Amino acid sequence: MFLEPQETMPQTSVVFSSILVPSCSGQVQPGMGERGGGAGGGSGDLIFQDGRLISGSLEALMEHLVPTVDYYPDRTYIFTFLLSSRVFMPPHDLLARVGQICVEQRQQLEAGPEKAKLKSFSAKIVQLLKEWTEAFPYDFQDEKAMAELKAITHRVTQCDEENGTVKKAIAQMTQSLLLSLAARSQLQELREKLRPSAVDKGPILKTKPPAAQKDILGVCCDPLVLAQQLTHIELDRVSSIHPEDLMQIVSHMDSLDNHRCRGDLTKTYSLEAYDNWFNCLSMLVATEVCRVVKKKHRTRMLEFFIDVARECFNIGNFNSMMAIISGMNLSPVARLKKTWSKVKTAKFDVLEHHMDPSSNFCNYRTALQGATQRSQMANSSREKIVIPVFNLFVKDIYFLHKIHTNHLPNGHINFKKFWEISRQIHEFMTWTQVECPFEKDKKIQSYLLTAPIYSEEALFIASFESEGPENHMEKDSWKTLRPAFPGGSERPHSWL
């Protein structure tokens, strides 16, 4: 069942709050004018239910986006439609249609008795474009979209005097947009330079490193401090994810369903990079455990990571917590029965209870809801942190999209579905914009980001050398792996 679109959203940054705080219902704000019908009815191709927009044709929804002399769209509607429209058409095509509607309305004003209101109409169009460029600046990386933007702004300035308010607003909007695009371009260039080669897996790393070789406990022995540094990394990486990146999940699925390609799939790089971070953190945990020679020290390492995961939970960093638990549940670690027998597992059992997958991760979702409520009522920046398990968030968007159709039987777009997708993405974006309150430790972060990690095969070798194979399957695996890695294992490249 959908949550009602009008439910209050948590506060967020200036850009998102200015768009989304008024409401999430599509209900017309007082003094904003109205397009469409009232409760339980429709006007043209827009259908409302109890005052909420629930469906409409694509053309009617586009017209509903564009202001008139006495109407300005609900800002929540602006965000939701701009976000969801890319499922049906690229942003530059939407801009082109917005431009056409603007021309039609301008011509009507020039020919009618309300010509004096032309400047007011132009100001509203600029406001719409300003909200678009602030919420989705990267729509305008495309040359076609930038050309359409220039065409629209040129038309609306024709009624404005030299150095008029409309022209000034356009100049400010354009400058802010160019700065945003330049910043992202520089970030993408940096990531491409740092992006490791998929072929180069780095030098050989022996499964039994010298005793003097540093491990995680040699860098940081305080679970709380390590959890804080993991939170730093999480927030840094998740901040590079934008609403349109998340919507790309839906667009990409539609492309696959229709056996065609829509959009630039490289836009999902930020999603893939964040997902890779989870996998590498899991492998690092497994490596740190399996590389330890003495059982006593392995026990200490396991208990340390259990405490780190617990601190992540307390902070609200569920993604790192899940990655750590996943690392300890990998077969090479989980099979170390003699080591686990020495571990005080009560804390680990509690963590696994929170991440129990039964009933669609009901326990985790309850904890996430509690963290969300704490964030909304936070008195300090530390209480604002909510970092969900990213894989589960993506799956929620995926199933929401797959279960509910884009179009209703009458051909209308199922806008109720997109209200809910928008709500969930907005909530995620709220969490990503929290500034990390913890002091950054470059030494610890450097280790977390560059420490060598074992391949899966090397993990099994190290595990078997610590505690020998116990059954026929393990013995067969050991016989297969040992000749392939007589002295050690490949070290996958450092991850960024």
Side-chain angles (χ1 to χ4, degrees):
M1 180 181 293
F2 286 123
L3 295 178
E4 288 299 330
Q6 76 271 19
E7 287 193 2
T8 303
M9 290 187 172
Q11 294 297 313
T12 180
S13 72
V14 173
V15 171
F16 284 99
S17 63
S18 66
I19 294 175
L20 287 164
V21 163
S23 76
C24 190
S25 65
Q27 290 177 310
V28 178
Q29 301 293 304
M32 298 180 75
E34 182 175 355
R35 271 186 173 175
S43 177
D45 288 328
L46 291 179
I47 302 298
F48 291 78
Q49 186 177 69
D50 299 326
R52 297 189 299 273
L53 176 60
I54 60 170
S55 73
S57 67
L58 180 58
E59 179 63 25
L61 292 170
M62 286 190 289
E63 291 179 356
H64 196 59
L65 175 70
V66 181
T68 65
V69 170
D70 54 3
Y71 161 82
Y72 193 83
D74 181 302
R75 286 173 173 170
T76 309
Y77 175 77
I78 294 174
F79 177 83
T80 301
F81 182 70
L82 291 178
L83 181 65
S84 58
S85 64
R86 62 201 68 231
V87 174
F88 307 100
M89 63 196 306
H92 64 82
D93 281 351
L94 176 59
L95 262 173
R97 182 63 190 122
V98 168
Q100 291 172 359
I101 297 172
C102 287
V103 169
E104 293 168 3
Q105 292 199 32
R106 180 185 174 86
Q107 289 173 345
Q108 291 177 4
L109 287 172
E110 289 176 335
E114 294 186 307
K115 188 175 181 179
K117 295 184 178 181
L118 198 56
K119 187 174 179 179
S120 173
F121 168 71
S122 297
K124 288 183 177 180
I125 295 300
V126 174
Q127 177 63 25
L128 173 66
L129 296 174
K130 180 175 180 289
E131 294 189 26
W132 190 337
T133 56
E134 286 179 345
F136 303 98
Y138 312 119
D139 285 352
F140 300 89
Q141 288 183 125
D142 179 33
E143 291 182 2
K144 292 180 181 178
M146 188 60 83
E148 292 293 347
L149 178 65
K150 289 179 179 178
I152 296 173
T153 54
H154 174 71
R155 294 188 194 108
V156 300
T157 54
Q158 291 178 354
C159 68
D160 199 27
E161 64 272 9
E162 191 68 27
N163 296 321
T165 55
V166 173
K167 287 182 178 178
K168 286 181 179 179
I170 290 174
Q172 292 173 355
M173 174 191 73
T174 304
Q175 183 180 16
S176 297
L177 174 60
L178 293 177
L179 287 173
S180 296
L181 293 177
R184 185 171 197 183
S185 178
Q186 290 174 0
L187 185 60
Q188 285 178 331
E189 289 176 9
L190 178 62
R191 282 184 180 146
E192 286 302 319
K193 288 179 182 178
L194 296 176
R195 194 174 190 178
S197 168
V199 178
D200 179 21
K201 290 190 176 182
I204 298 299
L205 177 69
K206 292 181 179 180
T207 56
K208 296 295 181 185
Q213 187 167 329
K214 190 182 296 182
D215 63 14
I216 187 66
L217 287 173
V219 178
C220 177
C221 60
D222 187 332
L224 175 59
V225 172
L226 189 64
Q228 291 174 344
Q229 297 311 305
L230 287 170
T231 303
H232 251 296
I233 295 172
E234 292 277 357
L235 289 173
D236 179 64
R237 289 171 176 270
V238 79
S239 66
S240 66
I241 297 175
H242 303 281
E244 59 269 32
D245 297 326
L246 297 169
M247 205 65 191
Q248 190 81 0
I249 298 168
V250 175
S251 300
H252 184 35
M253 286 189 291
D254 283 345
S255 300
L256 295 176
D257 289 344
N258 296 325
H259 306 288
R260 59 191 172 83
C261 180
R262 175 192 285 152
D264 179 10
L265 296 184
T266 60
K267 287 180 181 178
T268 61
Y269 170 65
S270 59
L271 305 183
E272 293 166 3
Y274 189 51
D275 187 51
N276 288 338
W277 150 255
F278 179 98
N279 296 330
C280 288
L281 179 55
S282 294
M283 293 296 284
L284 177 64
V285 169
T287 298
E288 293 289 332
V289 173
C290 289
R291 66 184 285 197
V292 179
V293 178
K294 295 183 178 180
K295 180 172 64 177
K296 179 180 178 181
H297 293 161
R298 280 199 304 277
T299 300
R300 183 187 175 201
M301 187 68 76
L302 280 170
E303 290 180 338
F304 173 72
F305 277 118
I306 290 171
D307 287 338
V308 174
R310 186 184 181 190
E311 294 295 349
C312 286
F313 177 84
N314 292 335
I315 289 171
N317 181 358
F318 299 106
N319 200 56
S320 289
M321 173 192 171
M322 179 68 100
I324 292 169
I325 293 174
S326 298
M328 290 189 287
N329 280 327
L330 290 174
S331 295
V333 179
R335 65 167 298 278
L336 298 172
K337 296 179 182 178
K338 294 177 182 178
T339 304
W340 279 103
S341 68
K342 301 296 182 180
V343 174
K344 299 175 183 177
T345 57
K347 295 177 184 177
F348 188 65
D349 292 341
V350 172
L351 294 174
E352 287 208 303
H353 171 75
H354 286 306
M355 293 300 169
D356 182 356
S358 62
S359 301
N360 192 21
F361 289 89
C362 178
N363 295 338
Y364 157 70
R365 295 182 189 282
T366 300
L368 179 64
Q369 185 179 17
T372 302
Q373 292 173 348
R374 180 186 69 181
S375 177
Q376 292 171 352
M377 303 173 66
N379 295 317
S380 69
S381 54
R382 295 190 176 206
E383 296 175 333
K384 291 182 180 179
I385 297 172
V386 182
I387 305 173
V389 178
F390 187 62
N391 285 336
L392 292 181
F393 174 78
V394 169
K395 286 178 181 177
D396 286 346
I397 297 294
Y398 172 85
F399 284 112
L400 181 60
H401 174 62
K402 296 301 289 184
I403 291 172
H404 302 279
T405 60
N406 287 346
H407 292 90
L408 301 175
N410 64 357
H412 278 194
I413 290 173
N414 181 9
F415 210 68
K416 190 174 183 181
K417 164 185 173 176
F418 290 104
W419 279 130
E420 179 60 14
I421 291 178
S422 172
R423 186 195 67 80
Q424 291 194 21
I425 289 178
H426 166 259
E427 187 170 50
F428 181 85
M429 296 309 301
T430 302
W431 298 330
T432 68
Q433 293 165 33
V434 172
E435 186 174 348
C436 189
F438 309 121
E439 184 177 351
K440 188 173 183 179
D441 190 312
K442 293 182 179 179
K443 182 181 177 182
I444 297 174
Q445 289 200 21
S446 176
Y447 186 89
L448 289 169
L449 295 169
T450 62
I453 54 177
Y454 288 163
S455 65
E456 186 176 356
E457 294 84 357
L459 284 173
F460 272 109
I461 290 175
S463 179
F464 288 142
E465 289 182 350
S466 296
E467 297 185 19
E470 294 188 348
N471 53 50
H472 291 299
M473 185 178 296
E474 288 189 347
K475 290 176 181 178
D476 289 343
S477 297
W478 179 230
K479 288 179 182 178
T480 303
L481 290 169
R482 199 170 185 179
F485 298 90
S489 63
E490 286 189 348
R491 184 200 77 176
H493 53 72
S494 298
W495 31 282
L496 297 166

